[in-house]
Amino acid sequence: MSEQIKSIVEQLNKEPFKKNFNLITFDSLEPMQLLQVLNDVLAEIDPKQSIDIREEMPDQTAKRMFGLLGMMKYKPPGNNTDTSSFRQGLVTGSKPVIHPILYWLLQRTNELKKRAYLARFLMKLEVPGEFLQDDVVADTYHQYGELVEGFKTLHKECEHLRSSGFSTAEIRRDISAMEEEKDQLVKRVERLKKRVETVSNNQRMLDLARQLRVEKERELSLAQQKQEQKNQLFLAEQRLQRSQLQLKDLRQAAADAKPESLMKRLEEEIKFNTYMGTDKLPKELESKTNAMQYLQKVVMEPAMGHAELGELEDKIREINIMINQLIEKRMMRNDPMDDKLSLFRQQASIIARKKEAKAEELQEAREEMASMDKVLTEKSSRVRDLDGNEVVQGDEVKRLVNKLRGKNVIFKKKRQVLTDLKREYGILQRTEEILKQRHETMQQQLQSLEVKQGISGYSDTQEELERVSAIKSELDEMKGRTLDDMSEMVKKLNSVIAEKKSALAPVIKELRPLRQNCQELTQEYEEKKAQYDSCAAGLESNRSKLEQEVRGLREENAQEESRYHLINCMKQVIEMQMQRASDEMKAYVSADPQERRKAVREQYTRNILEQENLGKKLREQQKAVRESHGPNMKQMTMWRDFQQLMECKKQCYLKAQNQVSIGQVIQEGGEDRLVL
């Protein structure tokens, strides 16, 4: 109770009350004065309560205060549920009733101001049902309810704007800056209009400029649409590439994989996805959600100053000290069994951390592999666009290398043959030239003989006929060869088709049961997957419910622990106060004068007597000073005049010493005579 009264006195001595109370004066207040103090505090919360209670009836005062306290949702402390006794204590100004009310009001003044302000507009008037039968009254009451709801929404928006950090001064500055810019723009537009008015066909030019602006805006919108379509096309191409890669992987897996390996791979993927979906991802999601909620809470709170930040840092420091103390107590209180269990807990936590690290490494490796596949598809698409061929990979590269090695050997042999042929070609070319020269000489001799015999041109005609016949024979042979080649090609194709059919027949027979087995396994996999999904959903819902229950129980436990510690501290404080009170009573009642001198009351009594004696002495000194003030002031003025006179004589003496001596000064009988 003493702490409560001390807090009340401190709050009343601050702004805006300035009561200048101390514990003794506040405790010695009369009931009417205590009620006036309570009314002043209520008037600070609600200005309508600012009245003098001496001009009001006690019942009206109690009714008014009782209604205001009910509107503020005040609950009397303890088991004081009897409203009549509470009203009676409020009317009589009882201290056990008034002090808790003052303490409660002064601890939350700002909150109660806001509540009183809102109650003025949100407390609906109770209208009897028979009056609401009237249409006018019903419409008015309905409009009244709509206005109340509108006030609620507007007040929420106002509070949100206040807490969002916007400043009205900044908004006003922005508005004034925008108005100045608007004025400048208006002036520029007027100047441009004056310039344009002097130009011929200005209206047509303005229309063209307007059309140009419209077309530019349209061009910008079309460019934006084009960019969006390009982005969509790029995303579609990426999806297509991913689908092609997945299809290729699936084909490779189906081509060179066995059902056992496929099932093993699927089981590994299921285990990994189960771990990611049940352990890792929910924890990450919970941490991200908590961080987001914390950040939202920080954003919603108003801006803090240096003083509030300092208080928060002090609280954090105190809580850290308490945590360290609790950890030390727990370490001192631990038994050997807990130590053994702690080893297993540490090993389990180390294994869990390793598991999480490996899962993260696997996830990063998968993401890196996906990015590399993406880069590979982009590179292959670029190469395909450049030369139109597919990029070889893996075993195809090895086969190509072996093929190139064989072709390199063949190339070397062919190159040797080619050099021999070139050498032979040179020899044959030289032989051809020699034969051509001989042929030309023979032709000249033949032509000279034909001229001598009179049959010139016979040899040319004979050669032409032979050439034509040779061409005809070559054409006939070519046609025959073409028909033979076509028949042989048809035979070869038929034989190849028959061979392929005969080779594929056993493979097709083996593939049919495998297809049926694959369909059965796929169906079984779908059923198991559906069962797994349903089971996982049920377990997830149960887990979420259990987590909510555990969270609620932990919060309740924390509240009960804090309440226990608070009650324990209050108990210790009350015990100390009771101990001090009992010691005071023992010292006061004791017959020993030494013990009685130790009592606080005796100490205060001695202090009061000493202060009263000191006050008497000071008053006597004040009286003596007042009586001797006039003569002392007169003596002081006389002494000041005497000091000035002596100073003047000193100055005259110094001047006389400095002047030239024109005679002799003789001093006799208190007189000064100058003898020239």
PDB file of all heavy atoms in Angstrom, residues 462-485:
ATOM      1  N   GLN A 462      33.729 -38.042-140.237  1.00  0.00           N
ATOM      2  CA  GLN A 462      33.835 -39.389-139.696  1.00  0.00           C
ATOM      3  C   GLN A 462      33.957 -39.351-138.169  1.00  0.00           C
ATOM      4  O   GLN A 462      33.320 -40.141-137.454  1.00  0.00           O
ATOM      5  CB  GLN A 462      35.071 -40.070-140.301  1.00  0.00           C
ATOM      6  CG  GLN A 462      35.213 -41.522-139.911  1.00  0.00           C
ATOM      7  CD  GLN A 462      34.123 -42.418-140.489  1.00  0.00           C
ATOM      8  OE1 GLN A 462      33.545 -42.082-141.562  1.00  0.00           O
ATOM      9  NE2 GLN A 462      33.819 -43.516-139.813  1.00  0.00           N
ATOM     10  N   GLU A 463      34.701 -38.418-137.652  1.00  0.00           N
ATOM     11  CA  GLU A 463      34.849 -38.289-136.188  1.00  0.00           C
ATOM     12  C   GLU A 463      33.543 -37.887-135.517  1.00  0.00           C
ATOM     13  O   GLU A 463      33.214 -38.369-134.419  1.00  0.00           O
ATOM     14  CB  GLU A 463      35.934 -37.252-135.886  1.00  0.00           C
ATOM     15  CG  GLU A 463      37.325 -37.749-136.205  1.00  0.00           C
ATOM     16  CD  GLU A 463      38.367 -36.672-135.954  1.00  0.00           C
ATOM     17  OE1 GLU A 463      37.932 -35.538-135.545  1.00  0.00           O
ATOM     18  OE2 GLU A 463      39.565 -36.924-136.114  1.00  0.00           O
ATOM     19  N   GLU A 464      32.793 -36.988-136.150  1.00  0.00           N
ATOM     20  CA  GLU A 464      31.510 -36.567-135.579  1.00  0.00           C
ATOM     21  C   GLU A 464      30.546 -37.722-135.496  1.00  0.00           C
ATOM     22  O   GLU A 464      29.832 -37.903-134.501  1.00  0.00           O
ATOM     23  CB  GLU A 464      30.943 -35.422-136.430  1.00  0.00           C
ATOM     24  CG  GLU A 464      29.696 -34.793-135.866  1.00  0.00           C
ATOM     25  CD  GLU A 464      30.001 -34.014-134.589  1.00  0.00           C
ATOM     26  OE1 GLU A 464      31.147 -33.552-134.381  1.00  0.00           O
ATOM     27  OE2 GLU A 464      29.076 -33.874-133.725  1.00  0.00           O
ATOM     28  N   LEU A 465      30.510 -38.544-136.576  1.00  0.00           N
ATOM     29  CA  LEU A 465      29.614 -39.701-136.569  1.00  0.00           C
ATOM     30  C   LEU A 465      30.025 -40.689-135.470  1.00  0.00           C
ATOM     31  O   LEU A 465      29.171 -41.232-134.746  1.00  0.00           O
ATOM     32  CB  LEU A 465      29.648 -40.385-137.937  1.00  0.00           C
ATOM     33  CG  LEU A 465      28.947 -39.626-139.083  1.00  0.00           C
ATOM     34  CD1 LEU A 465      29.220 -40.324-140.417  1.00  0.00           C
ATOM     35  CD2 LEU A 465      27.438 -39.540-138.846  1.00  0.00           C
ATOM     36  N   GLU A 466      31.329 -40.926-135.331  1.00  0.00           N
ATOM     37  CA  GLU A 466      31.777 -41.839-134.288  1.00  0.00           C
ATOM     38  C   GLU A 466      31.432 -41.294-132.885  1.00  0.00           C
ATOM     39  O   GLU A 466      31.047 -42.039-131.987  1.00  0.00           O
ATOM     40  CB  GLU A 466      33.282 -42.048-134.422  1.00  0.00           C
ATOM     41  CG  GLU A 466      33.651 -42.871-135.656  1.00  0.00           C
ATOM     42  CD  GLU A 466      35.161 -42.977-135.821  1.00  0.00           C
ATOM     43  OE1 GLU A 466      35.860 -42.327-134.966  1.00  0.00           O
ATOM     44  OE2 GLU A 466      35.633 -43.665-136.721  1.00  0.00           O
ATOM     45  N   ARG A 467      31.564 -40.001-132.709  1.00  0.00           N
ATOM     46  CA  ARG A 467      31.254 -39.387-131.398  1.00  0.00           C
ATOM     47  C   ARG A 467      29.787 -39.525-131.056  1.00  0.00           C
ATOM     48  O   ARG A 467      29.409 -39.857-129.926  1.00  0.00           O
ATOM     49  CB  ARG A 467      31.678 -37.923-131.410  1.00  0.00           C
ATOM     50  CG  ARG A 467      31.606 -37.231-130.053  1.00  0.00           C
ATOM     51  CD  ARG A 467      32.152 -35.828-130.159  1.00  0.00           C
ATOM     52  NE  ARG A 467      31.359 -34.991-131.031  1.00  0.00           N
ATOM     53  CZ  ARG A 467      30.184 -34.438-130.678  1.00  0.00           C
ATOM     54  NH1 ARG A 467      29.699 -34.620-129.472  1.00  0.00           N
ATOM     55  NH2 ARG A 467      29.527 -33.697-131.547  1.00  0.00           N
ATOM     56  N   VAL A 468      28.913 -39.280-132.066  1.00  0.00           N
ATOM     57  CA  VAL A 468      27.468 -39.396-131.827  1.00  0.00           C
ATOM     58  C   VAL A 468      27.104 -40.829-131.493  1.00  0.00           C
ATOM     59  O   VAL A 468      26.286 -41.095-130.578  1.00  0.00           O
ATOM     60  CB  VAL A 468      26.704 -38.874-133.052  1.00  0.00           C
ATOM     61  CG1 VAL A 468      25.215 -39.206-132.927  1.00  0.00           C
ATOM     62  CG2 VAL A 468      26.893 -37.383-133.209  1.00  0.00           C
ATOM     63  N   SER A 469      27.666 -41.765-132.206  1.00  0.00           N
ATOM     64  CA  SER A 469      27.348 -43.166-131.929  1.00  0.00           C
ATOM     65  C   SER A 469      27.835 -43.568-130.525  1.00  0.00           C
ATOM     66  O   SER A 469      27.174 -44.321-129.793  1.00  0.00           O
ATOM     67  CB  SER A 469      27.986 -44.057-132.996  1.00  0.00           C
ATOM     68  OG  SER A 469      29.401 -43.931-132.963  1.00  0.00           O
ATOM     69  N   ALA A 470      29.008 -43.021-130.143  1.00  0.00           N
ATOM     70  CA  ALA A 470      29.507 -43.340-128.794  1.00  0.00           C
ATOM     71  C   ALA A 470      28.604 -42.769-127.702  1.00  0.00           C
ATOM     72  O   ALA A 470      28.319 -43.427-126.685  1.00  0.00           O
ATOM     73  CB  ALA A 470      30.933 -42.793-128.643  1.00  0.00           C
ATOM     74  N   ILE A 471      28.121 -41.546-127.914  1.00  0.00           N
ATOM     75  CA  ILE A 471      27.206 -40.931-126.922  1.00  0.00           C
ATOM     76  C   ILE A 471      25.937 -41.742-126.800  1.00  0.00           C
ATOM     77  O   ILE A 471      25.403 -41.983-125.708  1.00  0.00           O
ATOM     78  CB  ILE A 471      26.927 -39.479-127.314  1.00  0.00           C
ATOM     79  CG1 ILE A 471      28.193 -38.626-127.133  1.00  0.00           C
ATOM     80  CG2 ILE A 471      25.790 -38.889-126.486  1.00  0.00           C
ATOM     81  CD1 ILE A 471      28.074 -37.234-127.724  1.00  0.00           C
ATOM     82  N   LYS A 472      25.413 -42.222-127.958  1.00  0.00           N
ATOM     83  CA  LYS A 472      24.175 -43.011-127.942  1.00  0.00           C
ATOM     84  C   LYS A 472      24.375 -44.315-127.176  1.00  0.00           C
ATOM     85  O   LYS A 472      23.527 -44.720-126.373  1.00  0.00           O
ATOM     86  CB  LYS A 472      23.745 -43.280-129.377  1.00  0.00           C
ATOM     87  CG  LYS A 472      22.412 -44.046-129.489  1.00  0.00           C
ATOM     88  CD  LYS A 472      22.020 -44.197-130.941  1.00  0.00           C
ATOM     89  CE  LYS A 472      20.685 -44.948-131.045  1.00  0.00           C
ATOM     90  NZ  LYS A 472      20.761 -46.294-130.478  1.00  0.00           N
ATOM     91  N   SER A 473      25.508 -44.945-127.432  1.00  0.00           N
ATOM     92  CA  SER A 473      25.763 -46.203-126.721  1.00  0.00           C
ATOM     93  C   SER A 473      25.918 -45.968-125.211  1.00  0.00           C
ATOM     94  O   SER A 473      25.428 -46.764-124.386  1.00  0.00           O
ATOM     95  CB  SER A 473      27.017 -46.860-127.301  1.00  0.00           C
ATOM     96  OG  SER A 473      28.144 -46.027-127.081  1.00  0.00           O
ATOM     97  N   GLU A 474      26.552 -44.871-124.829  1.00  0.00           N
ATOM     98  CA  GLU A 474      26.692 -44.549-123.402  1.00  0.00           C
ATOM     99  C   GLU A 474      25.341 -44.312-122.741  1.00  0.00           C
ATOM    100  O   GLU A 474      25.087 -44.756-121.608  1.00  0.00           O
ATOM    101  CB  GLU A 474      27.578 -43.327-123.229  1.00  0.00           C
ATOM    102  CG  GLU A 474      29.048 -43.597-123.495  1.00  0.00           C
ATOM    103  CD  GLU A 474      29.890 -42.337-123.366  1.00  0.00           C
ATOM    104  OE1 GLU A 474      29.273 -41.279-123.066  1.00  0.00           O
ATOM    105  OE2 GLU A 474      31.113 -42.400-123.537  1.00  0.00           O
ATOM    106  N   LEU A 475      24.455 -43.612-123.453  1.00  0.00           N
ATOM    107  CA  LEU A 475      23.113 -43.362-122.899  1.00  0.00           C
ATOM    108  C   LEU A 475      22.347 -44.664-122.712  1.00  0.00           C
ATOM    109  O   LEU A 475      21.643 -44.853-121.706  1.00  0.00           O
ATOM    110  CB  LEU A 475      22.339 -42.406-123.804  1.00  0.00           C
ATOM    111  CG  LEU A 475      22.809 -40.944-123.801  1.00  0.00           C
ATOM    112  CD1 LEU A 475      22.076 -40.139-124.873  1.00  0.00           C
ATOM    113  CD2 LEU A 475      22.579 -40.307-122.440  1.00  0.00           C
ATOM    114  N   ASP A 476      22.457 -45.546-123.664  1.00  0.00           N
ATOM    115  CA  ASP A 476      21.759 -46.834-123.536  1.00  0.00           C
ATOM    116  C   ASP A 476      22.292 -47.625-122.336  1.00  0.00           C
ATOM    117  O   ASP A 476      21.519 -48.212-121.560  1.00  0.00           O
ATOM    118  CB  ASP A 476      21.940 -47.639-124.829  1.00  0.00           C
ATOM    119  CG  ASP A 476      21.209 -46.979-126.016  1.00  0.00           C
ATOM    120  OD1 ASP A 476      20.253 -46.199-125.745  1.00  0.00           O
ATOM    121  OD2 ASP A 476      21.616 -47.214-127.161  1.00  0.00           O
ATOM    122  N   GLU A 477      23.604 -47.639-122.181  1.00  0.00           N
ATOM    123  CA  GLU A 477      24.182 -48.341-121.045  1.00  0.00           C
ATOM    124  C   GLU A 477      23.754 -47.707-119.717  1.00  0.00           C
ATOM    125  O   GLU A 477      23.486 -48.404-118.729  1.00  0.00           O
ATOM    126  CB  GLU A 477      25.709 -48.316-121.162  1.00  0.00           C
ATOM    127  CG  GLU A 477      26.231 -49.199-122.283  1.00  0.00           C
ATOM    128  CD  GLU A 477      27.736 -49.100-122.400  1.00  0.00           C
ATOM    129  OE1 GLU A 477      28.315 -48.316-121.579  1.00  0.00           O
ATOM    130  OE2 GLU A 477      28.324 -49.753-123.261  1.00  0.00           O
ATOM    131  N   MET A 478      23.673 -46.374-119.676  1.00  0.00           N
ATOM    132  CA  MET A 478      23.264 -45.677-118.441  1.00  0.00           C
ATOM    133  C   MET A 478      21.838 -46.018-118.057  1.00  0.00           C
ATOM    134  O   MET A 478      21.521 -46.248-116.879  1.00  0.00           O
ATOM    135  CB  MET A 478      23.422 -44.168-118.621  1.00  0.00           C
ATOM    136  CG  MET A 478      23.249 -43.356-117.335  1.00  0.00           C
ATOM    137  SD  MET A 478      23.429 -41.611-117.660  1.00  0.00           S
ATOM    138  CE  MET A 478      25.138 -41.523-118.101  1.00  0.00           C
ATOM    139  N   LYS A 479      20.936 -46.074-119.050  1.00  0.00           N
ATOM    140  CA  LYS A 479      19.544 -46.438-118.755  1.00  0.00           C
ATOM    141  C   LYS A 479      19.471 -47.853-118.196  1.00  0.00           C
ATOM    142  O   LYS A 479      18.742 -48.134-117.237  1.00  0.00           O
ATOM    143  CB  LYS A 479      18.718 -46.317-120.026  1.00  0.00           C
ATOM    144  CG  LYS A 479      18.455 -44.887-120.458  1.00  0.00           C
ATOM    145  CD  LYS A 479      17.622 -44.854-121.741  1.00  0.00           C
ATOM    146  CE  LYS A 479      17.369 -43.421-122.205  1.00  0.00           C
ATOM    147  NZ  LYS A 479      16.603 -43.381-123.471  1.00  0.00           N
ATOM    148  N   GLY A 480      20.221 -48.768-118.798  1.00  0.00           N
ATOM    149  CA  GLY A 480      20.192 -50.136-118.295  1.00  0.00           C
ATOM    150  C   GLY A 480      20.718 -50.225-116.867  1.00  0.00           C
ATOM    151  O   GLY A 480      20.150 -50.927-116.024  1.00  0.00           O
ATOM    152  N   ARG A 481      21.821 -49.510-116.621  1.00  0.00           N
ATOM    153  CA  ARG A 481      22.374 -49.537-115.272  1.00  0.00           C
ATOM    154  C   ARG A 481      21.414 -48.943-114.244  1.00  0.00           C
ATOM    155  O   ARG A 481      21.286 -49.419-113.112  1.00  0.00           O
ATOM    156  CB  ARG A 481      23.694 -48.762-115.240  1.00  0.00           C
ATOM    157  CG  ARG A 481      24.853 -49.524-115.866  1.00  0.00           C
ATOM    158  CD  ARG A 481      26.188 -48.914-115.431  1.00  0.00           C
ATOM    159  NE  ARG A 481      26.291 -47.519-115.748  1.00  0.00           N
ATOM    160  CZ  ARG A 481      26.762 -47.046-116.898  1.00  0.00           C
ATOM    161  NH1 ARG A 481      27.162 -47.894-117.834  1.00  0.00           N
ATOM    162  NH2 ARG A 481      26.841 -45.746-117.092  1.00  0.00           N
ATOM    163  N   THR A 482      20.703 -47.880-114.647  1.00  0.00           N
ATOM    164  CA  THR A 482      19.741 -47.247-113.722  1.00  0.00           C
ATOM    165  C   THR A 482      18.634 -48.217-113.342  1.00  0.00           C
ATOM    166  O   THR A 482      18.242 -48.334-112.168  1.00  0.00           O
ATOM    167  CB  THR A 482      19.152 -45.982-114.350  1.00  0.00           C
ATOM    168  OG1 THR A 482      20.210 -45.107-114.714  1.00  0.00           O
ATOM    169  CG2 THR A 482      18.217 -45.261-113.379  1.00  0.00           C
ATOM    170  N   LEU A 483      18.098 -48.949-114.329  1.00  0.00           N
ATOM    171  CA  LEU A 483      17.028 -49.909-114.027  1.00  0.00           C
ATOM    172  C   LEU A 483      17.545 -51.030-113.135  1.00  0.00           C
ATOM    173  O   LEU A 483      16.868 -51.472-112.189  1.00  0.00           O
ATOM    174  CB  LEU A 483      16.474 -50.473-115.334  1.00  0.00           C
ATOM    175  CG  LEU A 483      15.685 -49.466-116.199  1.00  0.00           C
ATOM    176  CD1 LEU A 483      15.360 -50.092-117.550  1.00  0.00           C
ATOM    177  CD2 LEU A 483      14.405 -49.040-115.494  1.00  0.00           C
ATOM    178  N   ASP A 484      18.757 -51.491-113.422  1.00  0.00           N
ATOM    179  CA  ASP A 484      19.319 -52.555-112.579  1.00  0.00           C
ATOM    180  C   ASP A 484      19.533 -52.067-111.139  1.00  0.00           C
ATOM    181  O   ASP A 484      19.248 -52.795-110.168  1.00  0.00           O
ATOM    182  CB  ASP A 484      20.656 -53.009-113.179  1.00  0.00           C
ATOM    183  CG  ASP A 484      20.458 -53.705-114.531  1.00  0.00           C
ATOM    184  OD1 ASP A 484      19.339 -54.211-114.765  1.00  0.00           O
ATOM    185  OD2 ASP A 484      21.424 -53.713-115.314  1.00  0.00           O
ATOM    186  N   ASP A 485      20.035 -50.826-111.018  1.00  0.00           N
ATOM    187  CA  ASP A 485      20.257 -50.279-109.660  1.00  0.00           C
ATOM    188  C   ASP A 485      18.952 -50.147-108.886  1.00  0.00           C
ATOM    189  O   ASP A 485      18.880 -50.435-107.682  1.00  0.00           O
ATOM    190  CB  ASP A 485      20.940 -48.911-109.753  1.00  0.00           C
ATOM    191  CG  ASP A 485      22.363 -49.019-110.273  1.00  0.00           C
ATOM    192  OD1 ASP A 485      22.940 -50.104-110.158  1.00  0.00           O
ATOM    193  OD2 ASP A 485      22.884 -48.002-110.794  1.00  0.00           O
TER     194      ASP A 485
END
